[in-house]
């Protein structure tokens, strides 16, 4: 058996592939430039709704009262080759 050479017309790319490549070649730079021009979005909060104070060293006591039992949502067991305590 012998190989039959293909003509260049038989190797043509389909039109949808050419359209996809052209769209990507145009779309990627446009999206990149538009993302680079975005400014960081700053959060706007009313000053009256924010508590401001200075940082002080000391203990922080937070008391919460509620009924029921405190149980974790996820329990994870850790296995180790040596005996140890994990907090």
């Amino acid at each position: 058996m012998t190989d039959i050479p293909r003509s260049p017309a038989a190797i043509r790319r389909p039109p949808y592939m050419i359209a996809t490549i052209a769209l990507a070649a145009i779309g990627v730079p446009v999206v990149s430039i538009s993302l680079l021009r975005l400014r960081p979005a700053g959060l706007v909060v009313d000053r009256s709704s924010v508590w401001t104070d200075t940082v002080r060293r000391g203990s922080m006591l937070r008391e919460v009262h509620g009924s029921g039992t405190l149980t974790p949502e996820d329990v994870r067991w850790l296995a180790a080759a040596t005996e140890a305590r994990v907090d």
Side-chain angles (χ1 to χ4, degrees):
M1 269 202 160
T2 61
D3 291 334
I4 301 171
R6 288 200 227 175
S7 65
I11 307 175
R12 285 190 2 214
R13 290 194 173 125
Y16 67 86
M17 183 181 279
I18 294 171
T20 304
I21 292 170
L23 183 64
I26 294 171
V28 169
V30 168
V31 170
S32 298
I33 290 170
S34 62
L35 287 176
L36 286 173
R37 296 179 128 207
L38 286 177
R39 294 188 188 114
L43 298 175
V44 178
V45 179
D46 290 334
R47 183 134 179 105
S48 61
S49 65
V50 178
W51 291 357
T52 58
D53 201 359
T54 57
V55 177
R56 295 183 299 256
R57 182 179 295 268
S59 62
M60 179 176 153
L61 180 63
R62 173 83 177 170
E63 291 185 26
V64 179
H65 298 283
S67 61
T69 309
L70 184 63
T71 58
E73 290 180 5
D74 298 321
V75 176
R76 295 187 298 164
W77 291 95
L78 301 174
T82 59
E83 187 175 327
R85 179 179 163 195
V86 178
D87 287 331

